[in-house]
Amino acid sequence: MHFTSEQRLDDGVLEREFTLGEIPGTLWAPGSAPAPLVLMAHNNGLPKADPRLVARARYTAARGYAVATIDAAGCGDRPRSAADEQARADLRRAMQAGEPVDEIFESLIGPLVDNAAPEWRTTLDALLELPGIRGPVGYSGGWTALGIRLAVTEPRIAAAGFFAGGYVPRAQREEARRVTIPLLFLLQWDDEGNPRRRALDLFDAFGSEEKTLHANPGGHTGTPWFELEDGCRFLDRHLK
């Protein structure tokens, strides 16, 4: 892991950009150490510099966590395969025409998860070798499909917060039954892009004995700010 820049932010959080082979990432760390680690992924290929992700990461780091995000394969500015580009073009066309899009999402999101998960595990290995970062590890982010894959394949992840705002492929809906760690699941009740019934069915499928659903009125980007504070309290219970 090679750090390419660092800056101390006004809230005392240290922000560092890094590369790990071809993987670019950002690490936020509090002033105190050692700190438990939270992996924070945004939805289905959006960049690590997305303002909503950065705001959540900085807040969480200020609450005493090391927070890391990466642009995994096919995400952010990293190269995309011809199949990915075709699927995105098909998705735009179908949405503009008002046609069904689930099968297009399957062809797009499934491979993204398959390619991203190994890079997140590689990043986790490197982060836990750094001084001042420790387990247990949490996962927090809008990319629920990726979080499900990591929750069932990575035993170092002890708790997860998911946002029910993105498409979850059939494979991850089946994997959800094998998720057993504590979960906090956020649902925007009027999310125009995520059918409510499908989100509720996914919550029901999770195998965790401790799972909590928070539902708020509003559209996709309307999650209340206080849910971030509640999410940190959830992490406090399981990571500190």
Side-chain angles (χ1 to χ4, degrees), residues 194-229:
N194 189 44
R196 185 186 306 165
R197 183 70 260 167
R198 186 160 61 196
L200 294 174
D201 288 344
L202 178 61
F203 177 76
D204 191 49
F206 286 122
S208 304
E209 291 186 5
E210 180 183 336
K211 55 182 180 180
T212 301
L213 172 67
H214 286 187
N216 291 283
H220 183 75
T221 60
T223 304
W225 183 254
F226 62 73
E227 289 290 3
L228 182 54
E229 182 179 1

Side-chain angles (χ1 to χ4, degrees), residues 1 3 15-20 23-29 37-43 45-58 66-72 75-76 78 119-120 123-124 127 133 138-143 146:
M1 178 173 285
F3 287 100
E15 180 184 85
R16 290 183 286 177
E17 300 290 331
F18 66 83
T19 58
L20 182 62
I23 306 169
T26 308
L27 175 64
W28 295 266
L37 176 63
V38 175
L39 306 179
M40 193 168 286
H42 208 359
N43 210 11
L46 291 178
K48 64 184 178 62
D50 182 88
R52 287 182 294 158
L53 184 149
V54 172
R56 294 202 312 271
R58 288 185 56 174
V67 182
T69 189
I70 64 171
D71 279 343
C75 301
R78 294 191 58 189
E119 294 200 345
W120 275 93
T123 303
L124 177 58
L127 290 168
I133 296 180
Y139 178 91
S140 176
W143 198 353
L146 173 67

Side-chain angles (χ1 to χ4, degrees), residues 169-240:
R170 287 186 288 268
Q172 278 68 64
R173 280 179 257 163
E174 287 299 316
E175 288 176 330
R177 305 180 190 282
R178 296 162 48 202
V179 174
T180 58
I181 59 176
L183 293 179
L184 176 62
F185 195 57
L186 301 184
L187 170 62
Q188 284 302 103
W189 202 244
D190 308 300
D191 191 333
E192 58 278 6
N194 189 44
R196 185 186 306 165
R197 183 70 260 167
R198 186 160 61 196
L200 294 174
D201 288 344
L202 178 61
F203 177 76
D204 191 49
F206 286 122
S208 304
E209 291 186 5
E210 180 183 336
K211 55 182 180 180
T212 301
L213 172 67
H214 286 187
N216 291 283
H220 183 75
T221 60
T223 304
W225 183 254
F226 62 73
E227 289 290 3
L228 182 54
E229 182 179 1
D230 286 348
C232 284
R233 285 198 292 266
F234 167 79
L235 294 173
D236 291 345
R237 290 197 300 273
H238 299 289
L239 303 186
K240 288 187 174 180

